[in-house]
Amino acid sequence: MEDRTNNPEQMTFWKTQEDGITMSSRPRKSRHTPSPPVAIDEQSVQWEEPPASFTIDVKGDARNLEYGSRHRVPSYYRPSTRNVLGSRTTLGDNERAHRDKDLISRKPRLNLKHQKPVRIIRKADATFSDHYVADFVPLHLPKREKTREGPFCRRRPSYSPVTEGTTDEPSSDEDAPQFLTLDGDMQQERANVTRSLDRNAADWHAWMRLVELQDRIDGFSLSGSINVKWRSNAEVCLSIYDKALRNVTDLEGRAQLYLGMMSKALIVWERNKILSKWQTILGQCPLHLQLWKKYSDFHQSTLSGTTLEETRKQFLENLATLQELKHHAKRPPAEFSKIYTVQIYVLLRLSLLLSEGGYSEIAVATWQALLEVGFNKPTHLSISGPTTGQPGIELLNHARVADSVTIETPSTFEHFWDSEVPRIGEPNAKGWSSFKNGEGEQWRSLSTEGAASGNDSTIIKTWGDVERRVSGSSHMPVRTTDDSFDDPYRVILSSDVQSAMIGPPTPSDHGTLLSAFLCFCHLPPCPGLWTNESRVWNSDQFVQNQALYDHSRLAMSWLEKPSVSELNNDDLNGDITPSQLRDSSLPHVFQFPLVNFEISSESLFTSAGQWFSAFGSWGNIPFPIPKDFVLRTLQLLVVRGVGGDDLAEYVLALELQISPATVRKSAKSLLKRRPSSLRLYNAFTLIDHYLGNTEAAYQVCDTAIHMSTQLGDTTRRDAILLWRSRAWQHLTTGQAATALVRLLDYGLEDAPEETSEVTGRVPDHTSSTARLRLRNALTAGRDCMLSMSLPTHAVYFSDLLVLADYLTNDLSLETALSTFKTNLYRIYDKTPSARAIEALFRQSFARLLFIHISQRHPYSPAFIRSFLAESIAVFPHNTIFLSLYAWNESKFRIEDRVRGILRETVLANHQHCGQHEDDGSDHIATHFFAIYTDMHRRGLFLGSNHNAIRGSFERALSSEGAAHSAGLWKLYFLFEHGKGDPKRAKEVFWRAVGACPWAKEIYMLAFEYFREDGMDEGELRSVYDLMVRRELRIRVAL
């Protein structure tokens, strides 16, 4: 074949772009036989004027000689950007190239070799970058409008002060600068914060805000790994924290800065460096509870590199460090209380760690010893510090006792413990104070329910059933003389609890110790004993792990919405009214199992389907701590007079959940010991209502009200509880007229005693005299309680004022809301820092809204939504407001407001949203609630699909406040396994093991769900070996 390059007589005309750049002299390949190029004699072509869009190729392609034939030369294609397919974007056809030799050359571009890449540009259009942070992928992205803002514009772009990670290499496709965006508001706020720090560098709030703004920078066209992005951002934040700590001197401010710094340090620093830094921090702020909480989180979450025993020793070292702080002379008494609070929290974390690792016996014994020393100490013992007058530091450590504490009989507690008489919580227990030497043999009597033993030759796939059966029947310590038990971990001697013992609490610290014990038993807090410091525990992912033990049908209630036929079952006690059965969504509002709201009498004694129960699903979850042990422990403390009427009322409510048949007898026994306690009479009334003894309940209430007139002023102020309970009970049962009649009797000296006297009485709505008298009496009571610094009683009076205006104005919610706001402002004016009081008042008004709706009275959904949204904005983690908001919105399918309020208000700004220690936005309960609502959406059009639910799990587990929640990981596993995807479930299982290495229940999921499909015997054996290496409790060895 004759080569065209050697024949100058054959030429081809090729059309080019308007810019006149020459393309290849070859035609494009075609799947059909290409026609030979038409040869044209140059002399025969007559042009009037040479067209600018054509040129003459006189030589041909220079590549023909290189490839040997023009048919072997690769084809070049012209895209719209003048690039060459398969090559780098810096190459393309260039009109300035030499046309006789090269058709392809480097495109002209700016020389960026000595120009620093632009890191951040101003967002020209707010709607443009919204598509990159939205929860969906748009089908069509909007075109960017031309603007002078940009990386190569004449106007200087807006730079971020953060320039780390830039490079001096020329820009390319792979190494292009990663542009970040700052909207105008954020950039302006950043500038304001910087100017504020220039004026006052000691303002730690401004430094925290600067770190928050750094975390909120949105990535634009990021091509790197997300881990690299986080690490780079963490390094920048650490530099900001370091600069802030050099300027801030306030102790609280430094503590908050340290908390943020150590969160970022987990991403960048190594373990040894983090430990060293923690030692320095705790030396500077030794009494800050949040710092000790963060330090405990670090040790427990990094257990994967150590063992359970090593982590236990670290917790004990922390206790020893706190003990040393008590030896400092001239320490103020308030600091002793702070040290004791931190000690109790560390012990709470230690006992939960041991219990979840399988060592429930030592965990229970630790709390038995603490409660015996704290509340059952013999009165003849003299325990006091030599210089401060504070309680003894350590009863069982003889060396320290000899140096700092005088004890008449230092071995008394060892004799009591090792004699194995019944200890607190066990049957027939009388406590340390009633102990006499030589009485141990006839006291202690334990059942042998845990005598079951395992078979060493158990097959690996059935080992899980045997292990769970043996573990479920043996949680309490046993006697050394009991031959039916061959497990040494079940026998707890005094030396085993010695290292975890601390001194007895002062009377002001009784509430702290009791609150910690209730948290250990996974019980809700007790009203009146819940301190501000202990409120931190309620949001702790390592403490709130109820879902980890949920093996019953309640675990499946997360995965599907209960139907109407399921409402009248044992879990709901069958106490559902016919009107509630007609509305399947009504009981659903109470199904969320986690409790995070202010506890009151109505939530302690409420019937199922009437209001939110303080105990939630506690009675149906098989916790490792026996429920009868918890009840006997608290009953013994009540007999000792611990906790006053607050704990007595709480114990009656707990017994109502565990043993309804015996609770009335227990209530009468308490009333014989405390005959003037109006609060216990009120509890007795609520118990009768719960059990269905309505007439008896009203009779007891009327009798107690009449009796209150003969009591002293201090005791008589609790009579408002009886008036309030009676009004709410009438209103709950649909007797609004009777409720008003009874309420109008308040303040009358001749108030009727018998319930029958109200029969036939019709309330006079037009009687302004009766209404004015009632309002004046309630207002005077409210102001009196505020003057006496009793805000809780002031809320009770304000609550009745709201009910009175509601009942006397034809059940008007608008009038009730106006009265509510007026009283709320009045309470705030006297007690501006009482956030718990406001939450209690708002919960009461929310209860009125629920009753109004459930009884089919006319209402405006927008009115309900407005109040609940306002309450959520103030208390974003209150499960009452969240549940009612979701229930109200479940009737409408137009907008998905629940998901919006969760992401915009509740889960937004995890680190620096809350202004108080108890309202930080990264709350474990709200993460559970977000997942719960996603699981119970009504259809695909509202995002109710598997991927959306999976995304909710991932968002929760990627947050700092829920990343190590063993209960949340278990729920995630059950969700994936329930969808029939063993591969995904297996992946989640191993991630859960890495995140919660101490939780034995997580490992047991493999033997329960993967023994048939998902894991072979070798993989199951590897899970077992991993449990052994991490020193988790195994009762049946293979």
Side-chain angles (χ1 to χ4, degrees), residues 518 523-527 604 615 634 646-654:
L518 295 179
L523 282 168
C526 176
L604 287 174
F615 299 98
L634 296 177
D646 293 319
L647 185 60
E649 180 190 44
Y650 186 92
V651 171
L652 289 177
L654 180 63

Side-chain angles (χ1 to χ4, degrees), residues 23-42:
M23 285 290 289
S24 172
S25 59
R26 290 185 63 250
R28 296 187 178 184
K29 291 185 178 181
S30 172
R31 61 179 62 181
H32 302 289
T33 303
S35 302
V38 180
I40 303 178
D41 188 359
E42 184 178 0

